[in-house]
Amino acid sequence: MEKGKQSEDGVMTQSPTKPETVGPVSLLECLKAINAGILTPQESIAGCLSRIEAYDAEIMAFSSLSETALHDATQASGPLSGIGMAVKDIFDTYDLPTECNSPIYHGHMSGRDAAIVAQARKAGSTLLGKSATTEFAFLQPGTTRNPHNLEYTPGGSSSGSAAAVAAGMAHLALGTQTGGSIIRPAAFCGVTGFKPSAGLLPKVGIKEFSWSLDTVGLFTATVADVAFAASVLTGRTLKIAPEAQFELPRLGIVRSHSWSEADPGYRQQFEDLIKSLKRFGVDLIDIEPSDTHIAAFHAHQIIQDYEARQALAWEYSTHPDQLSPLLKQTLDFAQTIKPSDYDEARMCAENASKEMDEHFEDVDALISLSAPGPAPKGLASTGSPIFNRIWTLFGLPAINIAGLTTQDGLPLGVQIIGPYMADQATLHIAHWLEGAIKRHQER
Amino acid sequence: MEKGKQSEDGVMTQSPTKPETVGPVSLLECLKAINAGILTPQESIAGCLSRIEAYDAEIMAFSSLSETALHDATQASGPLSGIGMAVKDIFDTYDLPTECNSPIYHGHMSGRDAAIVAQARKAGSTLLGKSATTEFAFLQPGTTRNPHNLEYTPGGSSSGSAAAVAAGMAHLALGTQTGGSIIRPAAFCGVTGFKPSAGLLPKVGIKEFSWSLDTVGLFTATVADVAFAASVLTGRTLKIAPEAQFELPRLGIVRSHSWSEADPGYRQQFEDLIKSLKRFGVDLIDIEPSDTHIAAFHAHQIIQDYEARQALAWEYSTHPDQLSPLLKQTLDFAQTIKPSDYDEARMCAENASKEMDEHFEDVDALISLSAPGPAPKGLASTGSPIFNRIWTLFGLPAINIAGLTTQDGLPLGVQIIGPYMADQATLHIAHWLEGAIKRHQER
């Protein structure tokens, strides 16, 4: 492949296409090689660094790089030794700045690690660098590009985290989701994205945007990888035993009220997959979108914006000219939301959540699209969170499963959503579905 | 009054007693004087500064002082112009360090304001300084002393916030409560403490200890003061109109399972007050402590410790020798709490909370003691949160009402607890009760 060449002013003069990356590198495969003595933890981290060296000038997944990663790897001990980690640049890290992709935080050193970063380091993983985020994890994109085609967005807001894993530059990446900021970029970049039940991973030390919605999650190559990392980081039994046998899941198909907005080719692939799942013997029922859920969808935005205006009160009050017009306008508008609107939105969300819980009496998990289509072309937008919002609002575990692609080779994601705090069962179903998608494609 | 003299090594050589403070200075009285042209905002702040100058060498409510307060007051505009504010030293402030009373954070500049600090400044209030906290708002005391008697603890963890308001050094103080860290110091210092419904005031930019429990709240001289400040800071209708008429409240008396641990003289004063309330025509019923509530009381500690070990993961992992033995031991123990214990504790809390909600069908608010007694003597402990924990766990609005005292002149608090998000009604009842306590004492 011929790479795009940059002119002196840094503008691409030739269309870049797909860079020659190794693709996602499985965390479990890496640990297996280390345990077998084929690879040392330090060599594993050196591999990440050489891939960053090779690809990141084009992909721009990292906003800053650790200079001590190789040394840190020699000191590491624990179940994640040798695992290279990218951390979204809204998490505090004592050794690298936390800039939130905002000039207001240029060079900002928090002087400490966010809780989950400290836990991940203690478990042996090595911080490779901070991965690029949209501005304050909202909508204004950064410069990261999609490893599958550099002319396309990687999605957001956890743009760099998804891209770093997709290009094999990191084995594990930390991200957050407030609307669709984990599942969407995971889908666009063709990796596993796991948004756990609200509260499963600690948020202490992140730059918050909406405290009711912000959820910490993980990116890896495969579902088994993410289940293992989540097990280590939570101390819970979430990992998938290699020889595990599963009963066929009962799945509820959610074709949300935004279904008609989804890409027709993507919808067709989803329906084809559903047919295969039926053939495989899966029990499938349709979950009709109810008025309550549509109301909850709108409530999400009121809650997000009302809380964001408070979470960013200092930035808005003291540095309004350093906010992007997109964020500034959103916060301007948010000043007009009344406390009673917010209270009503929260009540609406609570009722809708209870109604959704009832569906889990009939099914083990829900299946839906991860986004309205493949990654949109261009870097001006990170795409839409309309297929993710209510799952974030309800605090339910959600997983993006990679495997499907467009004819042009862009990834298409399938989303599994489980009951609150049933993260283990949901990961198991997602793991099973990952295999089922492979069988479906081999048909 | 003769002040205690310090020897060269800083130890008090003579027992200090009650310093000659002006007592709490009402925020609303202050605003009235400003509006009447009797006082300028700058003079009002100068008054706070001169009282700090006069009293704080003994009381030690402040851990750091703003050098720009007088200048800031000239620039201030908004409904809180002229109001001097003390901010607990776990809230980020761009101009003063946030040290959390821990050597780990010595000199730590966050470079930004916590959300509520930014909102309070925007509303015109002036930051006087950071008020002393216990270490990370847990139990290890700071050096602050009770303005009513310097040999007694001011309570904690919001020690400096309560003491600063009690001595008239600040009109308004910000604090947090995870167990009993607002209501208890307010009771010990004889001021109004308001722990609003969970989530009413934003937590963004505080050093978290337990995210399910940490609640931001306020200290002022009177209930009407705190209702006014809360109105301004939330944009909600919470303030009490001067001419407001109230129906007599229906109150549920909570003599919790720890009742026998309370000071007998305090209990007697409480029962005498209840008799007066009956005479005044208040409808009073007894709420018996149930097994579920006792279980929730224990669940509080499991949730707090399990979350604290995550919230302080970085500090515990990198600076264990700089934690107090009390906190270190708590976090050591917390490593042994299983995720399943935590999940069970959260479930227990949810059930107990629902059971408590049912009582609010029969009563408008609950009345109880604010603490097991007056401030304990000495500075080695900030007292016990046993009368506060479940109200924090349930996220219910709680207010300490000052007025009762021991024979020695130490304040005794009465606590009013209202239904979730019924902060306005709860403040109204507390305001009524504040007057009723005066009438009770004049009997």
Side-chain angles (χ1 to χ4, degrees):
Chain A
M1 190 208 74
E2 199 178 336
K3 282 189 182 177
K5 291 195 180 72
Q6 288 195 326
S7 72
E8 280 175 3
D9 60 3
V11 174
M12 286 289 180
T13 53
Q14 192 179 334
S15 280
T17 55
K18 180 167 165 41
E20 281 175 13
T21 73
V22 297
V25 175
S26 162
L27 178 155
L28 284 174
E29 291 298 323
C30 180
L31 291 178
K32 202 192 283 180
I34 291 171
N35 290 335
I38 298 167
L39 193 70
T40 67
Q42 204 181 359
E43 285 164 353
S44 171
I45 298 303
C48 291
L49 296 177
S50 70
R51 292 189 289 274
I52 292 171
E53 174 77 23
Y55 315 141
D56 207 46
E58 283 188 328
I59 295 171
M60 296 188 265
F62 287 90
S63 53
S64 66
L65 288 171
S66 168
E67 291 181 3
T68 59
L70 264 187
H71 172 75
D72 295 350
T74 63
Q75 308 295 310
S77 70
L80 297 179
S81 288
I83 297 306
M85 173 175 67
V87 172
K88 186 179 185 178
D89 199 21
I90 64 165
F91 289 76
D92 284 347
T93 44
Y94 78 84
D95 45 357
L96 289 176
T98 304
E99 299 185 316
C100 308
N101 198 9
S102 164
I104 303 170
Y105 283 82
H106 179 70
H108 175 74
M109 295 298 296
S110 65
R112 62 188 169 199
D113 276 350
I116 185 75
V117 174
Q119 287 174 230
R121 290 207 224 226
K122 201 173 171 210
S125 69
T126 294
L127 178 68
L128 301 166
K130 300 300 273 285
S131 40
T133 175
T134 59
E135 179 195 26
F136 293 117
F138 189 55
L139 292 172
Q140 182 65 38
T143 52
T144 308
R145 299 190 281 179
N146 194 312
H148 291 269
N149 189 319
L150 298 172
E151 291 184 325
Y152 289 73
T153 179
S157 63
S158 308
S159 317
S161 295
V165 169
M169 297 188 284
H171 305 108
L172 170 67
L174 304 185
T176 57
Q177 174 156 319
T178 304
S181 289
I182 289 173
I183 300 301
R184 175 163 101 260
F188 291 176
C189 291
V191 298
T192 301
F194 174 37
K195 183 199 83 60
S197 292
L200 202 74
L201 295 174
K203 291 195 282 185
V204 176
I206 70 163
K207 177 65 188 153
E208 289 175 274
F209 192 83
S210 165
W211 55 85
S212 300
L213 302 169
D214 299 337
T215 314
V216 173
L218 307 172
F219 297 87
T220 56
T222 70
V223 175
D225 288 342
V226 96
F228 182 83
S231 274
V232 169
L233 293 173
T234 61
R236 292 170 185 270
T237 311
L238 298 171
K239 70 182 171 191
I240 291 156
E243 69 290 356
Q245 295 291 324
F246 307 104
E247 282 192 27
L248 284 176
R250 297 170 306 159
L251 296 178
I253 307 167
V254 180
R255 295 184 192 84
S256 74
H257 71 286
S258 311
W259 203 249
S260 62
E261 294 176 42
D263 177 80
Y266 187 13
R267 277 190 280 165
Q268 189 54 54
Q269 288 220 32
F270 182 80
E271 299 304 341
D272 291 346
L273 174 65
I274 295 295
K275 276 183 204 147
S276 287
L277 295 180
K278 274 187 187 147
R279 265 203 313 278
F280 298 159
V282 174
D283 200 356
L284 288 148
I285 63 169
D286 290 318
I287 309 279
E288 298 298 329
S290 79
D291 288 349
T292 325
H293 294 134
I294 297 169
F297 177 83
H298 296 292
H300 174 281
Q301 187 144 13
I302 293 169
I303 293 169
Q304 174 183 280
D305 292 355
Y306 185 83
E307 293 184 354
R309 94 178 188 208
Q310 295 180 70
L312 296 176
W314 178 73
E315 292 81 1
Y316 182 78
S317 159
T318 58
H319 299 79
D321 51 325
Q322 292 187 53
L323 301 170
S324 71
L326 187 60
L327 179 54
K328 175 71 168 50
Q329 281 157 25
T330 301
L331 296 178
D332 286 343
F333 171 76
Q335 312 300 316
T336 68
I337 303 171
K338 295 190 203 98
S340 55
D341 299 335
Y342 173 68
D343 294 345
E344 209 175 292
R346 291 208 302 168
M347 189 69 76
C348 165
E350 204 177 310
N351 292 336
S353 175
K354 278 181 196 148
E355 194 185 300
M356 184 56 77
D357 283 348
E358 288 167 16
H359 290 300
F360 289 113
E361 291 166 17
D362 305 319
V363 299
D364 302 311
L366 307 172
I367 184 167
S368 191
L369 300 179
S370 292
K377 194 167 183 178
L379 303 178
S381 157
T382 61
S384 162
I386 54 173
F387 283 84
N388 314 109
R389 276 187 184 163
I390 61 168
W391 314 124
T392 319
L393 181 67
F394 298 161
L396 304 180
I399 300 155
N400 176 69
I401 297 138
L404 300 181
T405 52
T406 64
Q407 286 186 329
D408 298 332
L410 284 176
L412 292 168
V414 176
Q415 186 176 197
I416 284 286
I417 301 111
Y420 180 60
M421 290 304 285
D423 294 70
Q424 184 184 21
T426 310
L427 284 162
H428 275 71
I429 292 168
H431 174 70
W432 178 86
L433 185 64
E434 193 177 44
I437 290 175
K438 285 200 185 97
R439 283 191 282 150
H440 158 72
Q441 286 179 307
E442 287 160 3
R443 79 198 182 279
Chain B
M1 189 208 74
E2 198 179 339
K3 283 190 182 176
K5 291 196 179 71
Q6 288 196 326
S7 71
E8 280 176 5
D9 60 2
V11 175
M12 286 289 183
T13 51
Q14 191 178 335
S15 279
T17 57
K18 181 166 164 41
E20 281 175 13
T21 73
V22 297
V25 175
S26 163
L27 176 156
L28 284 174
E29 292 298 323
C30 181
L31 292 178
K32 203 194 279 180
I34 290 171
N35 291 335
I38 298 167
L39 193 70
T40 67
Q42 204 179 0
E43 285 164 354
S44 169
I45 297 303
C48 291
L49 295 177
S50 71
R51 292 189 288 275
I52 292 171
E53 175 75 24
Y55 314 141
D56 207 46
E58 283 187 328
I59 296 172
M60 295 188 266
F62 287 90
S63 54
S64 66
L65 288 170
S66 169
E67 291 182 2
T68 60
L70 264 188
H71 172 78
D72 295 350
T74 63
Q75 308 295 310
S77 70
L80 297 179
S81 288
I83 297 307
M85 173 173 67
V87 172
K88 186 179 185 179
D89 200 21
I90 63 162
F91 290 76
D92 284 347
T93 44
Y94 77 84
D95 45 358
L96 288 177
T98 304
E99 299 185 318
C100 308
N101 198 9
S102 164
I104 303 170
Y105 284 82
H106 179 70
H108 175 72
M109 296 298 296
S110 66
R112 63 187 171 201
D113 276 351
I116 186 74
V117 174
Q119 286 173 229
R121 292 207 221 226
K122 204 176 170 206
S125 69
T126 293
L127 178 69
L128 301 166
K130 300 299 274 287
S131 38
T133 175
T134 59
E135 178 195 27
F136 293 116
F138 189 55
L139 292 172
Q140 182 64 37
T143 52
T144 308
R145 299 190 283 177
N146 195 314
H148 292 269
N149 189 319
L150 297 172
E151 291 183 328
Y152 289 73
T153 179
S157 64
S158 309
S159 318
S161 295
V165 168
M169 299 188 282
H171 305 109
L172 171 67
L174 305 185
T176 56
Q177 174 157 320
T178 304
S181 290
I182 289 174
I183 300 302
R184 176 163 101 257
F188 291 175
C189 292
V191 299
T192 301
F194 175 37
K195 183 200 81 63
S197 291
L200 203 75
L201 296 174
K203 291 193 284 185
V204 177
I206 70 163
K207 178 63 188 156
E208 290 174 274
F209 191 83
S210 166
W211 55 86
S212 300
L213 301 169
D214 299 337
T215 314
V216 172
L218 307 172
F219 296 86
T220 57
T222 70
V223 176
D225 288 342
V226 96
F228 181 84
S231 274
V232 169
L233 293 173
T234 60
R236 293 171 184 269
T237 311
L238 298 171
K239 69 183 173 190
I240 292 156
E243 71 287 0
Q245 295 292 323
F246 306 103
E247 285 192 26
L248 284 176
R250 298 169 305 159
L251 295 179
I253 308 168
V254 180
R255 296 184 192 85
S256 73
H257 70 287
S258 312
W259 203 250
S260 62
E261 294 177 42
D263 177 80
Y266 187 14
R267 277 188 281 163
Q268 189 54 53
Q269 288 220 35
F270 181 81
E271 299 303 341
D272 290 347
L273 174 64
I274 294 295
K275 276 184 206 146
S276 288
L277 295 181
K278 275 186 187 146
R279 268 202 311 279
F280 299 159
V282 175
D283 200 358
L284 287 148
I285 64 169
D286 291 319
I287 309 278
E288 298 299 330
S290 79
D291 289 348
T292 325
H293 294 135
I294 298 169
F297 176 84
H298 295 291
H300 174 280
Q301 186 144 14
I302 293 169
I303 292 168
Q304 173 183 281
D305 293 354
Y306 185 82
E307 293 184 353
R309 95 178 188 206
Q310 294 180 71
L312 296 176
W314 178 72
E315 293 79 1
Y316 182 77
S317 158
T318 59
H319 300 78
D321 51 324
Q322 292 187 52
L323 301 171
S324 70
L326 188 59
L327 179 54
K328 174 71 168 52
Q329 280 157 23
T330 301
L331 296 178
D332 285 343
F333 171 76
Q335 311 301 316
T336 68
I337 304 171
K338 295 191 204 95
S340 55
D341 299 334
Y342 173 67
D343 294 346
E344 209 177 292
R346 293 210 299 169
M347 188 71 76
C348 164
E350 204 177 309
N351 291 337
S353 175
K354 278 182 196 150
E355 193 185 300
M356 184 55 77
D357 282 348
E358 287 168 17
H359 290 301
F360 289 114
E361 290 166 17
D362 306 320
V363 299
D364 302 311
L366 308 173
I367 184 168
S368 191
L369 300 179
S370 293
K377 193 166 185 180
L379 303 178
S381 157
T382 62
S384 163
I386 56 172
F387 283 84
N388 314 108
R389 277 188 183 163
I390 63 168
W391 315 123
T392 319
L393 182 66
F394 298 161
L396 303 180
I399 301 155
N400 176 69
I401 297 138
L404 301 181
T405 52
T406 64
Q407 286 184 331
D408 298 333
L410 283 177
L412 292 168
V414 176
Q415 185 175 201
I416 283 287
I417 301 110
Y420 180 61
M421 289 305 283
D423 294 70
Q424 185 184 19
T426 310
L427 284 162
H428 275 72
I429 291 167
H431 174 70
W432 177 87
L433 185 64
E434 192 178 45
I437 289 175
K438 284 200 186 96
R439 283 190 282 151
H440 158 71
Q441 286 179 308
E442 287 158 4
R443 78 198 182 278

mmCIF file of all heavy atoms in Angstrom, chain B residues 229-248:
data_model
loop_
_atom_site.group_PDB
_atom_site.id
_atom_site.type_symbol
_atom_site.label_atom_id
_atom_site.label_comp_id
_atom_site.label_asym_id
_atom_site.label_seq_id
_atom_site.Cartn_x
_atom_site.Cartn_y
_atom_site.Cartn_z
ATOM 1 N N ALA B 229 -29.349 30.376 50.222
ATOM 2 C CA ALA B 229 -28.128 29.993 49.498
ATOM 3 C C ALA B 229 -28.392 28.810 48.567
ATOM 4 O O ALA B 229 -27.938 28.798 47.417
ATOM 5 C CB ALA B 229 -27.009 29.653 50.488
ATOM 6 N N ALA B 230 -29.158 27.843 49.063
ATOM 7 C CA ALA B 230 -29.450 26.663 48.236
ATOM 8 C C ALA B 230 -30.312 27.039 47.033
ATOM 9 O O ALA B 230 -30.153 26.492 45.942
ATOM 10 C CB ALA B 230 -30.140 25.590 49.078
ATOM 11 N N SER B 231 -31.218 27.997 47.216
ATOM 12 C CA SER B 231 -32.028 28.494 46.092
ATOM 13 C C SER B 231 -31.144 29.065 45.011
ATOM 14 O O SER B 231 -31.289 28.758 43.829
ATOM 15 C CB SER B 231 -32.963 29.618 46.561
ATOM 16 O OG SER B 231 -34.149 29.095 47.062
ATOM 17 N N VAL B 232 -30.222 29.926 45.428
ATOM 18 C CA VAL B 232 -29.334 30.584 44.474
ATOM 19 C C VAL B 232 -28.463 29.548 43.755
ATOM 20 O O VAL B 232 -28.297 29.592 42.535
ATOM 21 C CB VAL B 232 -28.449 31.627 45.196
ATOM 22 C CG1 VAL B 232 -27.341 32.128 44.274
ATOM 23 C CG2 VAL B 232 -29.301 32.777 45.709
ATOM 24 N N LEU B 233 -27.937 28.592 44.507
ATOM 25 C CA LEU B 233 -26.967 27.659 43.937
ATOM 26 C C LEU B 233 -27.605 26.586 43.060
ATOM 27 O O LEU B 233 -26.943 26.006 42.207
ATOM 28 C CB LEU B 233 -26.138 27.003 45.048
ATOM 29 C CG LEU B 233 -25.213 27.961 45.804
ATOM 30 C CD1 LEU B 233 -24.560 27.262 46.994
ATOM 31 C CD2 LEU B 233 -24.136 28.532 44.879
ATOM 32 N N THR B 234 -28.889 26.314 43.272
ATOM 33 C CA THR B 234 -29.542 25.261 42.495
ATOM 34 C C THR B 234 -30.496 25.811 41.441
ATOM 35 O O THR B 234 -30.943 25.071 40.577
ATOM 36 C CB THR B 234 -30.385 24.331 43.398
ATOM 37 O OG1 THR B 234 -31.377 25.124 44.053
ATOM 38 C CG2 THR B 234 -29.516 23.643 44.441
ATOM 39 N N GLY B 235 -30.861 27.097 41.546
ATOM 40 C CA GLY B 235 -31.880 27.637 40.647
ATOM 41 C C GLY B 235 -33.266 27.091 40.962
ATOM 42 O O GLY B 235 -34.180 27.177 40.150
ATOM 43 N N ARG B 236 -33.423 26.507 42.140
ATOM 44 C CA ARG B 236 -34.714 25.953 42.556
ATOM 45 C C ARG B 236 -35.384 26.873 43.567
ATOM 46 O O ARG B 236 -34.713 27.646 44.229
ATOM 47 C CB ARG B 236 -34.526 24.573 43.209
ATOM 48 C CG ARG B 236 -34.036 23.516 42.238
ATOM 49 C CD ARG B 236 -33.651 22.225 42.945
ATOM 50 N NE ARG B 236 -33.110 21.270 41.998
ATOM 51 C CZ ARG B 236 -33.842 20.365 41.348
ATOM 52 N NH1 ARG B 236 -35.136 20.273 41.571
ATOM 53 N NH2 ARG B 236 -33.274 19.542 40.486
ATOM 54 N N THR B 237 -36.685 26.755 43.709
ATOM 55 C CA THR B 237 -37.421 27.547 44.685
ATOM 56 C C THR B 237 -37.301 26.862 46.037
ATOM 57 O O THR B 237 -38.078 25.979 46.380
ATOM 58 C CB THR B 237 -38.904 27.648 44.282
ATOM 59 O OG1 THR B 237 -38.956 28.032 42.913
ATOM 60 C CG2 THR B 237 -39.636 28.676 45.135
ATOM 61 N N LEU B 238 -36.318 27.260 46.815
ATOM 62 C CA LEU B 238 -36.113 26.643 48.125
ATOM 63 C C LEU B 238 -36.194 27.668 49.243
ATOM 64 O O LEU B 238 -36.364 27.325 50.407
ATOM 65 C CB LEU B 238 -34.733 25.953 48.164
ATOM 66 C CG LEU B 238 -34.512 24.798 47.178
ATOM 67 C CD1 LEU B 238 -33.054 24.362 47.183
ATOM 68 C CD2 LEU B 238 -35.417 23.624 47.531
ATOM 69 N N LYS B 239 -36.082 28.953 48.887
ATOM 70 C CA LYS B 239 -35.970 29.963 49.945
ATOM 71 C C LYS B 239 -37.294 30.161 50.687
ATOM 72 O O LYS B 239 -38.361 29.825 50.186
ATOM 73 C CB LYS B 239 -35.446 31.275 49.389
ATOM 74 C CG LYS B 239 -36.377 32.015 48.479
ATOM 75 C CD LYS B 239 -35.670 33.267 47.963
ATOM 76 C CE LYS B 239 -36.527 33.932 46.898
ATOM 77 N NZ LYS B 239 -35.806 35.004 46.208
ATOM 78 N N ILE B 240 -37.161 30.687 51.875
ATOM 79 C CA ILE B 240 -38.320 30.837 52.754
ATOM 80 C C ILE B 240 -38.745 32.302 52.748
ATOM 81 O O ILE B 240 -37.962 33.187 53.109
ATOM 82 C CB ILE B 240 -37.970 30.351 54.174
ATOM 83 C CG1 ILE B 240 -37.769 28.827 54.125
ATOM 84 C CG2 ILE B 240 -39.046 30.743 55.184
ATOM 85 C CD1 ILE B 240 -36.910 28.266 55.218
ATOM 86 N N ALA B 241 -39.961 32.548 52.287
ATOM 87 C CA ALA B 241 -40.458 33.928 52.245
ATOM 88 C C ALA B 241 -40.638 34.422 53.683
ATOM 89 O O ALA B 241 -41.119 33.663 54.542
ATOM 90 C CB ALA B 241 -41.772 33.983 51.491
ATOM 91 N N PRO B 242 -40.236 35.678 53.991
ATOM 92 C CA PRO B 242 -40.289 36.180 55.371
ATOM 93 C C PRO B 242 -41.690 36.044 55.984
ATOM 94 O O PRO B 242 -41.836 35.754 57.161
ATOM 95 C CB PRO B 242 -39.892 37.644 55.236
ATOM 96 C CG PRO B 242 -39.162 37.743 53.940
ATOM 97 C CD PRO B 242 -39.709 36.680 53.053
ATOM 98 N N GLU B 243 -42.711 36.240 55.129
ATOM 99 C CA GLU B 243 -44.074 36.236 55.662
ATOM 100 C C GLU B 243 -44.750 34.865 55.532
ATOM 101 O O GLU B 243 -45.960 34.741 55.757
ATOM 102 C CB GLU B 243 -44.895 37.321 54.951
ATOM 103 C CG GLU B 243 -45.228 37.037 53.493
ATOM 104 C CD GLU B 243 -44.023 37.169 52.549
ATOM 105 O OE1 GLU B 243 -42.892 37.485 53.023
ATOM 106 O OE2 GLU B 243 -44.194 36.929 51.349
ATOM 107 N N ALA B 244 -43.962 33.849 55.167
ATOM 108 C CA ALA B 244 -44.565 32.540 54.885
ATOM 109 C C ALA B 244 -45.319 31.982 56.092
ATOM 110 O O ALA B 244 -44.881 32.099 57.234
ATOM 111 C CB ALA B 244 -43.482 31.557 54.456
ATOM 112 N N GLN B 245 -46.487 31.408 55.818
ATOM 113 C CA GLN B 245 -47.284 30.749 56.849
ATOM 114 C C GLN B 245 -47.187 29.252 56.634
ATOM 115 O O GLN B 245 -47.194 28.787 55.502
ATOM 116 C CB GLN B 245 -48.751 31.182 56.738
ATOM 117 C CG GLN B 245 -48.986 32.658 57.011
ATOM 118 C CD GLN B 245 -48.725 33.015 58.473
ATOM 119 O OE1 GLN B 245 -49.039 32.231 59.368
ATOM 120 N NE2 GLN B 245 -48.135 34.192 58.709
ATOM 121 N N PHE B 246 -47.070 28.502 57.700
ATOM 122 C CA PHE B 246 -46.926 27.060 57.558
ATOM 123 C C PHE B 246 -48.038 26.346 58.293
ATOM 124 O O PHE B 246 -48.443 26.760 59.381
ATOM 125 C CB PHE B 246 -45.599 26.586 58.143
ATOM 126 C CG PHE B 246 -44.428 27.324 57.571
ATOM 127 C CD1 PHE B 246 -43.804 28.324 58.307
ATOM 128 C CD2 PHE B 246 -43.971 27.040 56.297
ATOM 129 C CE1 PHE B 246 -42.739 29.015 57.779
ATOM 130 C CE2 PHE B 246 -42.907 27.732 55.761
ATOM 131 C CZ PHE B 246 -42.292 28.730 56.508
ATOM 132 N N GLU B 247 -48.487 25.257 57.706
ATOM 133 C CA GLU B 247 -49.327 24.335 58.466
ATOM 134 C C GLU B 247 -48.417 23.608 59.444
ATOM 135 O O GLU B 247 -47.240 23.390 59.172
ATOM 136 C CB GLU B 247 -49.973 23.314 57.535
ATOM 137 C CG GLU B 247 -51.090 23.905 56.739
ATOM 138 C CD GLU B 247 -51.911 22.816 56.048
ATOM 139 O OE1 GLU B 247 -51.939 21.675 56.548
ATOM 140 O OE2 GLU B 247 -52.500 23.138 55.028
ATOM 141 N N LEU B 248 -48.963 23.244 60.576
ATOM 142 C CA LEU B 248 -48.161 22.490 61.539
ATOM 143 C C LEU B 248 -47.769 21.154 60.907
ATOM 144 O O LEU B 248 -48.607 20.468 60.329
ATOM 145 C CB LEU B 248 -48.961 22.247 62.826
ATOM 146 C CG LEU B 248 -49.074 23.467 63.742
ATOM 147 C CD1 LEU B 248 -49.969 23.131 64.932
ATOM 148 C CD2 LEU B 248 -47.704 23.910 64.230
#
